[in-house]
Amino acid sequence: MVRCRTCGGTYEPILPDGTQYFHACSPLSVAEIRQGLQDNTIQLSRIDRLRLRTARDADRTNPPAEGEPSQEERALQLMVVERPNKRDENIRTGLDARDKGSRIKAEGAGVEDVVDE
Amino acid sequence: MPVDVSTLNLPIGPPAHAVYVAGDESLRFSVLNAAAGVTVRIAGRFMHRDGRVEPFVERLVPATDRTVSVKTIPLAEGWLLNAQASVSAGTPQIGQTFAILSLVRGRTGAFEELATLAAGPISAVQRIAWPGSVVGSPLEGAGALRTITGATPAAGAEVSETVPTGARWQLVSFRATFAASAVVSNRNLFLQLDDGTTVLEQVIQFNAVTASGGANAYWMAGFGPVTVNFGNGQMQGIGTSAWLAAGHRIRTLTIGIDAADTWTNVRYKVREFLEGA
């Protein structure tokens, strides 16, 4: 079992049937996007920034009813924000692989062994 | 230059199907494979110019990452009588190992492919042979049924499983266990499929999970589009043709997710086909 140092996910690199498992970090969850925006550790794309500003404006002029999600919440749910320094263990092929670098698409922050607890 | 067989003084002539090779050609086996511990056995018979028939056997341990592994067997001048590929070690399912048998010009360095003799899936019981086998595609057939244990994301993160390079999947079922933190708000659980960038399909479990609650969430091909609850489980359909190419992703989307919510026990079943990498 290993832990991805980028996303904290844990997984077995070799599955019980002997096949290789190729981990790729998930995009950020809504909770992680919120935290990242608060901490200023992520940068949204131009289109996502526009969506978020429009949603916040809509919430100000037309606040959500009790128990209903805000427009901001809905906008965040629709965003696909890739994790900074994401790891992707899938192998590179074709022109992508010509530089003789790592065989995997992105090293991210690497992995560490997880000791069984 | 064409060979006049009658001038060779052969005890018997080469059979009509035999392929004459001039001495600068090779037999090439290309293997795509995703299974562990596989050895491919390559065998056949070759008739030399003097009429001598020589059997040959070679072995190839293919890579397990769906890239192409190649074995090239140089041929003397004469006739290729037959050739076949089978699995001599390992137990790949049909769909996990695919072999292509071809005739190429050249012995080292750059090869020029001249003819594809046979192509198809191989296993411990299924082989491809020339003459006899067709030139098949790795995308034909039922595919290999695989049950995959996915990564367990950190608290507050979503599940995301990526179709590996060289594979094509049809999602059969997906399950994972969700546990909500004590932070008060309802959570709704979606499964979504994307192409690496754009979300293509979203399927919701209609029943909310409350604070400190949890659910075993199932999404299954062929199941109706209505959430069914049983005990702590929620079941939902994903249609019947959830095809995913390499790089596509299977992800959860948790409406109302809190930084301490967790997804665990990620398991899914797919039909896998080899695209090759």
Side-chain angles (χ1 to χ4, degrees):
Chain A
M1 179 80 77
V2 297
R3 176 179 286 112
C4 172
R5 286 194 177 119
T6 298
C7 71
T10 54
Y11 56 95
E12 293 287 357
I14 303 294
L15 296 172
D17 67 359
T19 54
Q20 292 183 72
Y21 180 79
F22 301 90
H23 167 71
C25 292
S26 63
L28 297 174
S29 69
V30 171
E32 290 170 315
I33 298 173
R34 280 189 187 288
Q35 191 65 49
L37 290 173
Q38 195 178 312
D39 301 344
N40 209 22
T41 53
I42 62 167
Q43 180 112 34
L44 296 180
S45 68
R46 193 165 156 271
I47 188 79
D48 281 342
R49 286 201 304 273
L50 185 63
R51 279 184 185 139
L52 194 58
R53 195 166 65 226
T54 306
R56 284 171 175 163
D57 288 348
D59 284 333
R60 269 195 292 276
T61 56
N62 190 13
E66 181 72 26
E68 287 294 310
S70 65
Q71 291 299 314
E72 178 180 338
E73 181 72 19
R74 289 177 197 273
L76 291 171
Q77 289 161 12
L78 291 173
M79 290 179 191
V80 180
V81 181
E82 295 301 334
R83 192 170 296 273
N85 195 30
K86 71 174 279 190
R87 180 172 176 81
D88 187 345
E89 296 176 351
N90 282 290
I91 55 169
R92 302 187 302 154
T93 56
L95 292 176
D96 233 17
R98 281 194 177 173
D99 62 8
K100 311 259 190 231
S102 169
R103 281 199 83 212
I104 69 174
K105 288 184 177 174
E107 294 280 354
V111 295
E112 60 193 8
D113 287 333
V114 177
V115 180
D116 288 338
E117 291 157 1
Chain B
M1 189 170 80
V3 173
D4 181 357
V5 176
S6 64
T7 66
L8 296 179
N9 200 23
L10 297 173
I12 53 169
H17 77 266
V19 171
Y20 173 75
V21 289
D24 60 350
E25 289 139 339
S26 301
L27 198 56
R28 191 175 218 209
F29 285 85
S30 307
V31 178
L32 302 172
N33 175 60
V38 171
T39 301
V40 176
R41 180 179 180 273
I42 300 151
R45 291 179 307 133
F46 185 82
M47 186 176 192
H48 289 270
R49 201 180 147 91
D50 60 7
R52 189 167 38 94
V53 174
E54 183 183 7
F56 58 86
V57 178
E58 297 276 355
R59 284 184 169 76
L60 169 65
V61 177
T64 58
D65 58 7
R66 303 173 185 81
T67 54
V68 180
S69 300
V70 174
K71 184 82 177 180
T72 304
I73 304 170
L75 301 173
E77 184 184 2
W79 289 266
L80 180 64
L81 300 178
N82 75 287
Q84 69 170 30
S86 60
V87 170
S88 61
T91 53
Q93 295 183 57
I94 291 291
Q96 285 189 300
T97 308
F98 188 88
I100 302 164
L101 166 61
S102 55
L103 201 60
V104 298
R105 170 160 287 171
R107 289 172 179 273
T108 56
F111 294 94
E112 185 167 11
E113 191 151 312
L114 302 175
T116 304
L117 302 176
I122 55 174
S123 70
V125 294
Q126 171 81 40
R127 56 200 63 184
I128 62 161
W130 176 85
S133 294
V134 299
V135 177
S137 159
L139 301 178
E140 293 170 353
L145 270 183
R146 295 189 58 207
T147 303
I148 298 169
T149 301
T152 300
E158 302 280 6
V159 174
S160 178
E161 296 294 311
T162 304
V163 182
T165 302
R168 181 188 291 196
W169 284 354
Q170 185 180 28
L171 183 60
V172 177
S173 63
F174 181 97
R175 67 147 289 180
T177 302
F178 177 76
S181 73
V183 171
V184 177
S185 87
N186 284 349
R187 280 72 151 176
N188 284 100
L189 312 179
F190 281 83
L191 188 73
Q192 55 183 15
L193 309 178
D194 74 25
D195 64 2
T197 308
T198 307
V199 174
L200 305 170
E201 182 178 340
Q202 279 187 330
V203 188
I204 187 175
Q205 301 282 1
F206 290 110
N207 295 80
V209 177
T210 55
S212 300
N216 293 314
Y218 296 81
W219 286 268
M220 295 175 289
F223 200 77
V226 177
T227 300
V228 172
N229 293 302
F230 62 99
N232 201 31
Q234 297 189 14
M235 300 162 73
Q236 177 61 275
I238 49 169
T240 56
S241 58
W243 287 100
L244 299 160
H248 288 200
R249 298 184 291 200
I250 306 163
R251 299 197 283 126
T252 56
L253 171 64
T254 312
I255 305 299
I257 191 168
D258 175 65
D261 290 350
T262 60
W263 281 101
T264 56
N265 298 321
V266 179
R267 307 267 193 287
Y268 51 103
K269 185 155 90 173
V270 298
R271 282 198 187 96
E272 180 172 312
F273 297 81
L274 288 168
E275 290 266 17

